[in-house]
Amino acid sequence: PFAVRLWEQATGQATRLLRLVRPTEVFREEIEFDYEIETAEPLLFVLRRFLEQLSLRLGALYLVARVMTFRLQFADSAKEGFAGANKSHYEHRFHIPDPTNSVEILFRLLQAHLETFRAEHPIIAVSLALEVAQPARQQFHLFEMPLRDPSRLHETLTRLTGLLGKERVGT
């Protein structure tokens, strides 16, 4: 039977159904700069553009971001020898407390993190990736309203952690 099936496939007599496989959607934006970046303003400008593009794609598919991965690549880190080789990039994952596709909320998370971030070397590349989820559906009672901005607590804790240190902030 196996040989007959191979013969039918080779002669074009066999028909098989086409199985469509949808590739997984990757929500990632990255850029390698022409010039090294040493201040936060151009980096924030690029990150804002990334978030606007990713938010449009998320909105078109009715998805929200639940985890955001921010990655920076530095210049001149290989010149320091073996110890500096580990510092060629920086990566931080933001676990979003209330998954959203709002550009403002996601940008505030990045901006609050970058206010306390200090890099020893100039930045040559930046990357932003999102892990997505279905938006939460919740039915409220007649007189019950949702919180206006549930991400505010997380943003406030992030700012306090940046000002005071991880060991001094808790819930």
Side-chain angles (χ1 to χ4, degrees), residues 10-11 44 50-51 65-66 84 91 106 114 118 122 127 148 165:
T11 59
L44 288 172
F50 283 175
L51 288 173
R66 63 180 178 89
E91 184 172 309
L106 297 174
L114 286 175
R118 300 288 176 249
S127 165
R148 276 196 255 161

Side-chain angles (χ1 to χ4, degrees), residues 11-76:
T11 59
Q13 297 173 356
T15 58
R16 67 179 174 98
L17 297 176
L18 182 64
R19 281 184 267 160
L20 297 176
V21 177
R22 179 170 289 192
T24 58
E25 187 77 26
V26 177
F27 295 95
R28 181 184 180 100
E29 295 287 334
E30 58 188 19
I31 188 171
E32 189 170 326
F33 299 114
D34 294 334
Y35 302 101
E36 297 174 345
I37 292 195
E38 297 178 356
T39 60
E41 289 82 18
L43 185 62
L44 288 172
F45 177 77
V46 168
L47 290 173
R48 177 90 176 183
R49 294 290 302 223
F50 283 175
L51 288 173
E52 289 171 355
Q53 293 171 1
L54 290 169
S55 178
L56 284 174
R57 290 175 52 203
L58 287 174
L61 296 174
Y62 302 106
L63 296 173
V64 291
R66 63 180 178 89
V67 176
M68 181 170 50
T69 305
F70 170 65
R71 184 181 170 111
L72 295 173
Q73 187 172 353
F74 301 117
D76 297 329

Side-chain angles (χ1 to χ4, degrees), residues 119-134:
E120 296 177 10
H121 302 287
I123 299 167
I124 58 170
V126 64
S127 165
L128 192 65
L130 299 177
E131 294 178 20
V132 297
Q134 294 290 330

Side-chain angles (χ1 to χ4, degrees), residues 89-127:
H89 70 277
Y90 170 78
E91 184 172 309
H92 186 77
R93 291 175 59 93
F94 297 92
H95 295 278
I96 301 165
D98 184 32
T100 183
N101 63 354
S102 169
V103 175
E104 294 302 321
I105 292 173
L106 297 174
F107 185 71
R108 280 197 319 246
L109 284 174
L110 284 170
Q111 190 175 19
H113 180 71
L114 286 175
E115 284 176 357
T116 60
F117 178 75
R118 300 288 176 249
E120 296 177 10
H121 302 287
I123 299 167
I124 58 170
V126 64
S127 165

